Amino acid sequence: MSYKLSRRKFGQLALVGTVVSGLSCLTNKALAQTPSLKIIGISSGSMIGTDETAIPEVNTTELESTTPNNVPTDIKPRGLILQSLITGKAQMLANKSVPLVESNETLSGFTCLSDGTLVVAITPVSTSRKEAIPTRITFLSTPVKTLIVSGLKQNQQLGSLLGTNDGRLIGLVGKKNGTPPIRLVDINVETGEISFISKVKFPEDERISNLAECPDGKLYTSLVESDGDTILVQLDSNQKNPIKLGQLKVNGQAWNNGLQSLICSGTGQLLAFGAMRYQTPNTVYSVDKNSGNMTPLEDFDATQITLARG
């Protein structure tokens, strides 16, 4: 097993075994009220010619890999970039035998399990020549473990991963082009097999994405209506049908572009991540569960986010 880590560059962002640590010192004033908040962002980037101007302190970690089921071997040399919201410093993870992502794939899910293991779902885009290949999930542990997701139809993908408080891994299954119907599923972390959760049923014509669980066990997601408006939704297994809480909005303006991620802090604060249509970069927002009002906290140039745990 080979590691190439710079303590000078990554003293506050390190992958140690299955635990992401060193992320507890917040400097942003807007986030300083929640000192236990440890937000990690993920994106993909080329292993060759990394732009060190855009990401000034990127280092490479080589991780040993096990591949218990068949994974495509002709993957272009691209890696996953983990970045701390606190410092802005980044760490690129790559694997010589099984690189983690290629250019015609998308990061369809990202979460942290209760034991601190980061998990990412990677899916070929619907217009690529490999669109028939199913989603795979990669556990950023030591060694790295990659599983092909079984139980999907050819036109389906797994995304919106969530490591639950009770140690499970769940997600949302929908078509690769993002259209409904959407189903809530359990994912076997040993085999990659999915099983559908029948306690929650989504409308057949509504686009659902993102999953968040708060400390009280309540699940939240977001629903994008046909006009682009985004609705905050609570999932209640007792009522089976999702409960629409309110339209998401910023400064009175309706949110019009879906969300990249939805997470919940240890204090029960719901946080949304994304950007309005035609705007960059993505931003972390606090969300009022009752009104849907979103308050911007911090810009963050990442694709998805999760909370470090364990």
Side-chain angles (χ1 to χ4, degrees), residues 4-282:
K4 295 181 180 178
L5 291 174
S6 166
R7 291 182 181 274
R8 178 179 65 84
K9 291 184 178 181
F10 302 101
Q12 291 183 297
L13 179 60
L15 192 67
V16 182
T18 60
V19 180
V20 174
S21 61
L23 300 176
S24 60
C25 180
L26 292 176
T27 58
N28 180 273
K29 292 181 180 179
L31 297 174
Q33 296 177 354
T34 54
S36 62
L37 201 58
K38 308 171 186 179
I39 295 178
I40 303 169
I42 194 169
S43 56
S44 63
S46 174
M47 286 298 301
I48 301 174
T50 300
D51 183 357
E52 294 191 358
T53 300
I55 306 175
E57 298 196 41
V58 171
N59 203 2
T60 299
T61 303
E62 295 178 4
L63 297 173
E64 188 177 288
S65 176
T66 59
T67 53
N69 47 14
N70 294 327
V71 178
T73 56
D74 57 340
I75 300 176
K76 297 178 182 179
R78 294 175 63 85
L80 296 176
I81 299 172
L82 297 179
Q83 187 172 359
S84 166
L85 175 62
I86 306 157
T87 65
K89 295 179 181 179
Q91 176 181 355
M92 175 176 281
L93 293 95
N95 188 299
K96 288 184 177 179
S97 59
V98 185
L100 296 175
V101 68
E102 62 176 316
S103 57
N104 59 358
E105 294 178 322
T106 183
L107 303 178
S108 58
F110 181 49
T111 192
C112 189
L113 301 181
S114 58
D115 66 0
T117 302
L118 294 174
V119 187
V120 59
I122 301 170
T123 303
V125 298
S126 59
T127 57
S128 74
R129 60 185 177 85
K130 294 186 177 182
E131 63 177 317
I133 297 174
T135 301
R136 66 184 187 276
I137 49 176
T138 294
F139 298 79
L140 301 181
S141 54
T142 50
V144 169
K145 180 175 73 172
T146 297
L147 300 174
I148 295 295
V149 177
S150 60
L152 296 173
K153 296 180 180 178
Q154 184 171 316
N155 67 340
Q156 289 181 325
Q157 70 173 10
L158 170 67
S160 301
L161 298 181
L162 173 65
T164 64
N165 297 336
D166 61 3
R168 294 179 299 144
L169 178 62
I170 65 175
L172 296 176
V173 167
K175 293 182 180 179
K176 286 186 176 179
N177 61 5
T179 59
I182 308 296
R183 299 287 300 276
L184 184 66
V185 297
D186 258 310
I187 304 142
N188 187 312
V189 297
E190 299 299 328
T191 65
E193 183 179 3
I194 63 170
S195 56
F196 293 101
I197 300 174
S198 59
K199 291 182 179 180
V200 175
K201 184 177 181 181
F202 299 117
E204 294 290 312
D205 59 347
E206 293 185 338
R207 299 178 63 175
I208 302 286
S209 61
N210 306 297
L211 289 170
E213 183 182 27
C214 287
D216 60 6
K218 291 181 179 179
L219 289 174
Y220 297 88
T221 186
S222 58
L223 181 155
V224 180
E225 297 185 325
S226 58
D227 59 1
D229 289 346
T230 304
I231 308 298
L232 180 65
V233 173
Q234 181 184 326
L235 305 181
D236 188 336
S237 58
N238 294 323
Q239 296 196 26
K240 200 167 187 176
N241 292 322
I243 304 169
K244 295 182 180 181
L245 300 179
Q247 181 178 354
L248 295 179
K249 48 190 175 293
V250 180
N251 296 324
Q253 181 179 359
W255 187 264
N256 62 6
N257 198 30
L259 297 174
Q260 294 296 105
S261 301
L262 191 66
I263 60 178
C264 193
S265 74
T267 61
Q269 176 60 60
L270 202 60
L271 301 171
F273 183 62
M276 295 282 270
R277 196 173 300 164
Y278 310 122
Q279 295 183 13
T280 57
N282 290 321

